[in-house]
Amino acid sequence: MIVNPKNYTGRELETIFFRPLLSGPSIESLGVRVLYNMPVPTVVQLWDRTGNVLQSFDKASKWSGGTKSTHYQKTIPLCRVKAENAFSASDYFSTIFELITNRSDVNMEDLSGTELEAAETELFRNAIADSIRMNLWLGDKGGTYNTGYTSFDGLLKIIEERIKDGSLHYCANNLSELMSSYSIKELFDLHIQNASPRLKALFNDGQAAFFISPQLYSLYEAYLDEVFGAAAYNDVQHGRGPLHYHGFPVMEINLEPAMGESSLSHDFCIFTDRRNLVMAVNTADTPGAEVRMWYNPDEMENRQRAVFAIGCEILDEDLLSAFMDVEI
């Protein structure tokens, strides 16, 4: 046994384990809005912008504020989940010590319990972060789409279901046919041109973005290589940073290898305001929420378990358009 048993609950659960997991570059790479420890049930308030609120002061002898702002609200469904991991004693030893020895500031002759605890916590936190990302997109609680991720319903399932019931502002269920007739640039243009007036009004906020599958991302890279000559020459040598189209970020959502076994649409092109896609995580109001790490002498395993609540939702279908292959 390398470390003593640890159990994080309450305030420690938030500050030591989940707050670092749900902030910084790891969560920014998801590209969606994250709500942590909002009151349960997690309800998001939405306010539409009002029309003209300016009136002549000279003519206003009393309150004339006009009509009230339109108020919407959406409840984020949360599911109680657990994450579990186990290592044999030999695998655990080599994995933990690899994390420690890769640091330049570690004195291997004086390894304190704090350093071992930090390495073990980082290992489990990384595993949970990757599972959250995959469930966020591939989650299928009912098991209909054979994704292997059944903790809660993810964004792709939610979008497919809303394409079927026609609740999205603009969508196409025949992406493969569209790709045979339109270039990747033209697909992007279709999204932008057919965006709802409410989404277009938010363009200046800088939060609208494309979320696309790896195949479409490769098509866009090939388009850039063909069009931009000398600039593409530098890209070939030094690589590219994040891609954009007319100022809108183009985010690659790589879900392989799990996507290959799923009946969800393998290719997708989604355009929305990033604040419209919401993931909520709760550890404060979830019964039994904890992170526990311990050694099991019977099985000679180091085990890790986390219990918390999580869910995701699209706040406003009018702010999202999607091209996928969906059987209707």
Side-chain angles (χ1 to χ4, degrees), residues 80-313:
R80 192 177 178 212
V81 300
K82 65 175 181 177
E84 294 181 331
N85 212 354
F87 296 88
S88 67
S90 59
D91 291 340
Y92 182 83
F93 182 89
S94 60
T95 303
I96 292 295
F97 267 74
E98 180 181 359
L99 290 176
I100 296 174
T101 54
N102 283 340
R103 288 171 43 196
S104 59
D105 60 337
V106 171
N107 180 3
M108 292 302 293
E109 296 180 359
D110 183 24
L111 287 176
S112 67
T114 303
E115 288 169 335
L116 292 169
E117 179 177 337
E120 181 181 35
T121 300
E122 180 185 355
L123 178 69
F124 193 29
R125 200 157 45 208
N126 290 343
I128 292 177
D130 186 63
S131 291
I132 285 178
R133 184 184 72 87
M134 297 297 285
N135 275 280
L136 172 65
W137 292 98
L138 287 178
D140 175 22
K141 191 173 182 180
T144 306
Y145 295 96
N146 191 34
T147 66
Y149 294 90
T150 57
S151 299
F152 61 95
D153 285 339
L155 294 174
L156 290 183
K157 177 180 178 179
I158 293 172
I159 292 171
E160 283 213 7
E161 295 298 321
R162 293 181 188 177
I163 288 177
K164 291 177 181 179
D165 64 28
S167 59
L168 296 182
H169 167 76
Y170 180 62
C171 63
N173 68 317
N174 58 336
L175 177 57
S176 297
E177 294 179 18
L178 288 177
M179 290 171 62
S180 65
S181 304
Y182 293 90
S183 67
I184 185 64
K185 173 187 179 299
E186 291 170 331
L187 287 178
F188 290 164
D189 287 337
L190 285 174
H191 278 294
I192 296 171
Q193 293 164 5
N194 292 283
S196 67
R198 293 179 58 212
L199 178 55
K200 289 180 178 178
L202 297 173
F203 282 177
N204 287 337
D205 290 355
Q207 294 294 323
F210 291 95
F211 299 84
I212 64 176
S213 57
Q215 181 180 348
L216 271 67
Y217 195 84
S218 296
L219 289 175
Y220 186 45
E221 286 186 312
Y223 164 77
L224 295 176
D225 289 338
E226 293 173 2
V227 172
F228 290 103
Y233 177 77
N234 290 328
D235 290 344
V236 169
Q237 295 185 89
H238 306 296
R240 285 195 174 100
L243 299 184
H244 292 73
Y245 182 72
H246 289 321
F248 300 112
V250 178
M251 306 188 66
E252 179 186 20
I253 308 301
N254 191 345
L255 303 173
E256 299 298 344
M259 183 56 107
E261 301 174 1
S262 168
S263 59
L264 285 169
S265 177
H266 287 205
D267 286 312
F268 49 87
C269 186
I270 299 164
F271 184 56
T272 188
D273 189 294
R274 288 186 285 193
R275 297 167 295 188
N276 192 36
L277 305 178
V278 178
M279 180 180 71
V281 178
N282 189 284
T283 59
D285 301 321
T286 304
E290 66 170 357
V291 170
R292 184 184 298 271
M293 305 178 192
W294 75 99
Y295 178 73
N296 185 320
D298 294 334
E299 302 292 338
M300 297 183 67
E301 285 183 338
N302 281 86
R303 294 181 173 178
Q304 304 166 322
R305 175 186 294 135
V307 178
F308 56 100
I310 188 171
C312 66
E313 183 58 281

Side-chain angles (χ1 to χ4, degrees), residues 14 19 22 33-46 73-78 278-286 309-311 315:
E14 176 180 345
R19 183 66 67 181
L22 297 172
R33 181 179 175 187
V34 177
L35 306 177
Y36 179 52
N37 274 356
M38 295 283 286
V40 175
T42 301
V43 179
V44 181
Q45 310 296 331
L46 305 172
Q73 66 179 27
K74 199 71 171 279
T75 300
I76 313 298
L78 293 181
V278 178
M279 180 180 71
V281 178
N282 189 284
T283 59
D285 301 321
T286 304
I310 188 171
L315 296 183

Side-chain angles (χ1 to χ4, degrees), residues 47 50 65-71:
W47 296 91
T50 58
T67 59
K68 294 181 180 180
S69 299
T70 305
H71 177 223

